[in-house]
Structure formats: structure tokens, C-alpha cells
Amino acid sequence: EYRDALAKAEARLETAGVEVAEEARRLLAAVLDGTAGSGALARLREMRGSTTGLAGLLEEDLRRAEAALREATDDATRARALKAILSLEPAWLQEALAAAVAHPDAGPGLRTFAARSAARRPGHEHLLERLEKGDLETRRIVARALAETRPPDAARALLGALEDEDGEVRLQAFLALHGITGKELGYD
């Protein structure tokens, strides 16, 4: 009797996990196609926090969201894809954010949103690469985001940005470093 009860409980848990994964997939698809209600992203975050392994179950769907972000032809679609990705924070999130920052067809608002989102999260090496190697507008956006968020682990890259050819990038790097260290570190 105990074994039957245990087997039934495991079956219910498995069914619940499948139902949760299906609900998450439906929500993610609705976010990506623009038909989701206002609570969809919050529900995805809630599901991620309470369901072990949900992010793994959604990996394929998250890859679709990443592809939508990279291939979108308008900022509204890019924003939906980015918000869907942000709601679940997959391991490759920082790379996707950095790609959005540097996307040549993305508008400045979306690029700034992506840069700020990346700067606020740990592990933003991809963003720091864009500060060093991006085009002029990308370097400016990244420098501004770092000046606003002041992540201490960005100090080395910001020191390098003090030597950037662009005055706006140098100024934002100086402001970020000043905010991080409290010292003026050589801006002219």
C-alpha cells in the first residue's frame, strides 16, 4: 500500500511538472508573439523560482527567444524576446544581452535597456568586450550603463576606456570609476 501511494505521488508530481512546463512554454510563446497579458513575465519568474529544473525544460524555448532577439526586424519584437529571456535568466543571458546592445538594427532605447540589464547582473564579460571592441555607439551605450550601475568588477575595463578615442566614452568611464572608487582617476 505504501509503495502504491508513493508511486501515485510521484506520478502526480511528474504530471504537475509537465503541466508547469507546458504552462511556461505557453506563456513564453505568448510573450514572444505579443499576446501575453501583463502578468505573464511575473508568472514565468515565479515558476522559475518555485520549480526545480524549469529552466532546463525551457532551454529549447529560450533558444527560440534568443533567435527571435537576434533575428527580429523591429524593436517591439526584440523587446518582447529580451523580456522573456530576462524573466528566466538562462546561463547564456549575458551573451544575449551583449548581442542586443551591439545589434545594428536595434534602436537606442532597446540597446540601452539591454546594456543596463547586463551591467546589473554578475558575469558581464560580454558587455565589457563591447566596451573595448564595439562600434562607437555601442561603446557609448555600454559606458553610460556602467556609469549608471557602477559594477566594481568592471573597473579594469573602465580604466582601459579612459584611453578611448571618444570623449563621451572617456567621460562615462571616468564617472563610473569615480562612483566605484570615490577617486578621480585621470579623465581629461
Side-chain angles (χ1 to χ4, degrees):
E1 201 170 304
Y2 167 77
R3 288 185 183 166
D4 287 342
L6 183 59
K8 287 179 183 176
E10 287 176 346
R12 280 195 303 275
L13 282 173
E14 186 175 313
T15 301
V18 169
E19 289 171 3
V20 167
E22 288 175 4
E23 178 187 0
R25 284 190 172 113
R26 281 193 304 275
L27 284 169
L28 188 56
V31 167
L32 288 173
D33 68 18
T35 60
S38 61
L41 292 172
R43 176 69 179 135
L44 279 170
R45 279 190 290 277
E46 175 187 311
M47 292 168 79
R48 179 183 182 268
S50 66
T51 308
T52 304
L54 179 60
L57 292 170
L58 294 173
E59 191 64 28
E60 181 181 325
D61 299 285
L62 285 165
R63 291 289 177 194
R64 280 190 311 146
E66 181 187 24
L69 177 63
R70 291 181 192 275
E71 297 167 9
T73 57
D74 63 284
D75 277 354
T77 302
R78 287 186 195 100
R80 286 193 303 270
L82 191 56
K83 286 177 182 177
I85 291 167
L86 287 172
S87 71
L88 292 167
E89 297 195 27
W92 45 265
L93 175 61
Q94 287 292 15
E95 187 176 352
L97 288 170
V101 170
H103 197 290
D105 297 326
L110 181 65
R111 293 174 78 184
T112 299
F113 172 76
R116 287 178 184 151
S117 296
R120 288 187 182 106
R121 289 172 167 73
H124 39 253
E125 298 83 24
H126 297 288
L127 184 67
L128 299 179
E129 280 180 30
R130 298 303 198 281
L131 177 63
E132 182 184 336
K133 299 177 184 173
D135 62 45
L136 177 61
E137 189 57 28
T138 298
R139 293 192 326 271
R140 285 179 175 174
I141 288 169
V142 171
R144 274 187 232 118
L146 294 171
E148 290 172 17
T149 57
R150 300 177 183 154
D153 59 338
R156 185 177 307 257
L158 289 163
L159 281 169
L162 290 173
E163 307 265 327
D164 195 276
E165 64 190 41
D166 183 66
E168 173 73 12
V169 172
R170 290 192 310 271
L171 174 62
Q172 295 301 328
F174 168 79
L175 293 172
L177 285 165
H178 187 279
I180 292 167
T181 66
K183 299 176 183 176
E184 293 185 13
L185 299 170
Y187 172 74
D188 351 298

